[in-house]
Amino acid sequence: MSRQASGIMAWLIQRSTAVYLALFSVYLVVYFIFNAPTRHAELVAWVNQPWVAVALMLFVPVVLAHAWVGIRNVLIDYVHQVVLRVTLMTLFGFVLVASGLWALKAIITAGLGG
């Protein structure tokens, strides 16, 4: 893949994930303003709805992809020492993967705990 195609792909990922994040965030804010669960059981029941569970499971990799592209672009633009840039990208990559696994485990546990 050429550098230009790589840049276009990063741009497309950043914009498409931003759309999903914006729409889902608006849904969450509106839902919790008008229909906030008052008990843990109500929250678990809401998370157990199939479309909510799928949306939450999709939210995790989408937010991680969005974060990765943003961090990658900042590091490429502002960290000029290659060794430092690669080290930071690796560190951020591990943090994002660990965060994603933790978030998915929390969603799955919440669904199974009800």
Side-chain angles (χ1 to χ4, degrees), residues 98-113:
S99 299
L101 292 172
W102 175 82
L104 290 175
K105 179 187 178 297
I107 293 168
I108 291 168
T109 303
L112 296 176

Side-chain angles (χ1 to χ4, degrees), residues 53-96:
V54 169
L56 283 171
M57 295 288 275
L58 183 60
F59 181 81
V60 173
V62 167
V63 77
L64 294 174
H66 187 82
W68 172 251
V69 171
I71 289 168
R72 176 189 161 273
N73 288 344
V74 168
L75 292 175
I76 287 172
D77 289 344
Y78 296 107
V79 179
H80 301 293
Q81 295 177 353
V82 176
V83 173
L84 179 59
R85 183 184 325 141
V86 170
T87 302
L88 288 171
M89 289 173 97
T90 303
L91 177 66
F92 280 115
F94 282 131
V95 168
L96 291 174

Side-chain angles (χ1 to χ4, degrees), residues 4-91:
Q4 185 177 9
S6 175
I8 291 171
M9 184 59 76
W11 181 88
L12 183 62
I13 291 169
Q14 192 75 14
R15 290 345 179 246
S16 60
T17 57
V19 169
Y20 182 81
L21 293 173
L23 293 174
F24 191 66
S25 296
V26 168
Y27 164 72
L28 287 176
V29 168
V30 169
Y31 178 81
F32 284 111
I33 285 174
F34 293 109
N35 196 19
T38 56
R39 295 176 297 149
H40 181 261
E42 292 174 5
L43 181 64
V44 170
W46 175 71
V47 170
N48 277 330
Q49 294 177 16
W51 67 273
V52 174
V54 169
L56 283 171
M57 295 288 275
L58 183 60
F59 181 81
V60 173
V62 167
V63 77
L64 294 174
H66 187 82
W68 172 251
V69 171
I71 289 168
R72 176 189 161 273
N73 288 344
V74 168
L75 292 175
I76 287 172
D77 289 344
Y78 296 107
V79 179
H80 301 293
Q81 295 177 353
V82 176
V83 173
L84 179 59
R85 183 184 325 141
V86 170
T87 302
L88 288 171
M89 289 173 97
T90 303
L91 177 66

